[in-house]
Amino acid sequence: MKHFLTAAATAAAFSLAGAAHGEPDPADWEAVLKEAQGETVFWHAWGGATTTNDFIAWVGERVMNDYGVTLEHVKLTDTADAVARVVAEEAAGTDEGGAVDMIWINGENFIALKDAGLLFGPFAEQLPNWALVDTEGKPVTVDFTVPTDGFESPWAAAQVVFIYDSETMDTPPTSAEAIAAWAAENPGRFTFPQPPDFLGTTFLKQMLYELVEDPARLQEDAGDDYAEVTAPLWAWLEETTPNMWRSGRAYPASGPRQLQLINDGEIDLAVSLSPGEATAAIANQQLPESARTFVLDKGTIGNASFVAIPYNANAKAGAMVVANFLLSPEAQLRAQTPEILGYGTVLDMDKLAPEDRAAFDTLELGIATLSPAELGTALPEPHASWMTRVEQDWLERYGVAN
């Protein structure tokens, strides 16, 4: 029956289950801290970038020192792998002692687990550091138009930017039409990560935003008019794909591989979900010092990265401790530091202690990072159903093996 529980029913069910089976209660934080000591949290998270892996390793050191929690990073190439494991365990009746304690999750993967009643919670809004979160200006309570209802906790803010080499490109193209025209004039100099890589799929959604007649339609479930709404995207791809890197017969497998192509001088333009990624990559000698970023004239998609805890996690208390630490000013500042990650913060500066706010205020964002004003207001993520259908359509039309 779990697959058919509504979100509200799920919340009620877990509230009752928590009382019945001694689940950790996020409202009793002292008890959570006590239970978490000695636990090992297996955090299933994307492991495709050295900077991200290093940050997670640092989080592990901190939660061990402060809370006695061991953090093991289970490196994923696709979040769906962790989701599939939780689903398989539920099907096998493994309702306790599951292998997945925490997942870096977004969009359709979160919605799939939430709708199936396979998440622990709600817990996020009872974490002590939730009081510091910017719940008004950041997309921290909605994930791809679906309310999180406390079943996942944010830990980073993201927005689509485009990275280019200012040594080889004077005026970057700031619209879908301009990108197509530039690609035609500079064949082979542009590509994007191959869907279903999340960044590649995000690029497709960004182009859909650019080309769709009514962007507000993307906030609703993709329905019978899907083909009509997405027709301009496919027309754009038909025009542009032959002018892409290797004529669209191959794509980089990931965002880091895409940046490597810029560093190797093979392409001039790349997409990123981290406004500070270019600066971090310059500092780590993964991009030339002439790399810069820009956004499109109509705006770019913004979202938050979340962590969620499966219903059968073996270390729920430890996972909540890690989620709470990720919301601390210390962790958020380190994540935003350009040389480390360059991720946007989910915290509200007005809610911070003066010394913490001063640390953010004085943080140098780096030469390739746009200011908040230059980034502009982020566009909301389309409903997850658009991502699923566009991704599948792209794979059928253009999917190739690397």
Side-chain angles (χ1 to χ4, degrees):
M1 287 298 293
K2 290 190 178 70
H3 293 286
F4 303 100
L5 289 173
T6 64
T10 303
F14 271 105
S15 177
L16 293 172
H21 301 293
E23 296 276 59
D25 179 1
D28 187 351
W29 193 245
E30 289 302 318
V32 170
L33 292 175
K34 184 176 180 180
E35 183 173 340
Q37 287 185 350
E39 286 191 336
T40 297
V41 175
F42 290 91
W43 182 6
H44 291 237
W46 180 66
T50 302
T51 50
T52 303
N53 299 340
D54 290 346
F55 176 77
I56 291 176
W58 172 81
V59 171
E61 294 172 3
R62 292 291 291 106
V63 297
M64 168 54 76
N65 291 337
D66 286 5
Y67 306 104
V69 174
T70 299
L71 183 63
E72 295 286 348
H73 180 189
V74 180
K75 297 175 183 175
L76 302 175
T77 56
D78 190 337
T79 305
D81 294 340
V83 173
R85 184 154 189 174
V86 175
V87 171
E89 288 180 344
E90 189 269 345
T94 307
D95 295 328
E96 297 179 351
V100 183
D101 293 308
M102 194 168 77
I103 310 175
W104 176 359
I105 198 167
N106 281 93
E108 82 278 15
N109 290 308
F110 165 68
I111 295 167
L113 289 181
K114 184 187 178 196
D115 287 349
L118 297 180
L119 290 176
F120 168 76
F123 73 95
E125 295 174 18
Q126 297 178 72
L127 298 175
N129 284 331
W130 179 262
L132 305 176
V133 174
D134 183 357
T135 56
E136 299 294 330
K138 303 285 174 59
V140 294
T141 57
V142 175
D143 190 352
F144 286 59
T145 77
V146 174
T148 60
D149 292 326
F151 284 91
E152 59 180 359
S153 178
W155 69 281
Q159 185 172 339
V160 170
V161 297
F162 289 84
I163 300 171
Y164 71 106
D165 188 342
S166 61
E167 285 291 323
T168 58
M169 184 185 292
D170 292 330
T171 305
T174 55
S175 69
E177 291 81 2
I179 291 174
W182 178 84
E185 295 171 359
N186 301 273
R189 305 296 297 176
F190 172 64
T191 187
F192 53 88
Q194 179 174 338
D197 175 86
F198 72 94
L199 188 55
T201 304
T202 298
F203 172 77
L204 296 178
K205 288 186 294 181
Q206 181 65 56
M207 291 301 99
L208 181 61
Y209 246 123
E210 284 279 299
L211 298 162
V212 69
E213 182 175 346
D214 178 17
R217 175 67 185 87
L218 302 180
Q219 295 303 297
E220 303 168 356
D221 194 5
D224 294 339
D225 61 348
Y226 167 81
E228 177 184 353
V229 172
T230 59
L233 171 66
W234 306 118
W236 185 90
L237 285 166
E238 284 297 308
E239 174 189 354
T240 308
T241 300
N243 297 321
M244 292 174 54
W245 182 68
R246 296 188 179 179
S247 302
R249 291 192 292 271
Y251 293 82
S254 65
R257 174 59 182 144
Q258 180 194 216
L259 295 189
Q260 184 64 50
L261 292 178
I262 286 188
N263 208 30
D264 292 344
E266 290 199 51
I267 63 173
D268 299 315
L269 187 63
V271 64
S272 173
L273 253 173
S274 174
E277 183 171 18
T279 294
I282 291 172
N284 293 316
Q285 299 181 329
Q286 294 170 323
L287 279 178
E289 293 188 358
S290 52
R292 297 292 185 271
T293 55
F294 68 96
V295 291
L296 304 183
D297 293 336
K298 294 180 182 176
T300 53
I301 295 172
N303 63 32
S305 291
F306 294 91
V307 290
I309 304 171
Y311 83 105
N312 64 343
N314 189 53
K316 296 184 180 72
M320 283 192 283
V321 167
V322 176
N324 187 61
F325 178 75
L326 288 169
L327 290 175
S328 67
E330 178 189 6
Q332 290 285 302
L333 183 66
R334 187 175 179 88
Q336 191 164 18
T337 301
E339 294 80 6
I340 296 174
L341 276 184
Y343 286 5
T345 182
V346 296
L347 300 186
D348 184 340
M349 295 298 108
D350 290 336
K351 295 178 179 177
L352 301 186
E355 60 272 23
D356 291 330
R357 177 168 182 165
F360 279 94
D361 287 344
T362 57
L363 184 64
E364 292 288 343
L365 296 179
I367 194 169
T369 304
L370 300 177
S371 68
E374 290 170 321
L375 280 173
T377 302
L379 302 173
E381 280 278 4
H383 187 279
S385 56
W386 293 98
M387 178 175 180
T388 303
R389 295 184 67 172
V390 165
E391 184 177 275
Q392 185 59 44
D393 267 9
W394 187 89
L395 288 170
E396 292 176 359
R397 293 167 187 252
Y398 300 103
V400 292
N402 279 290

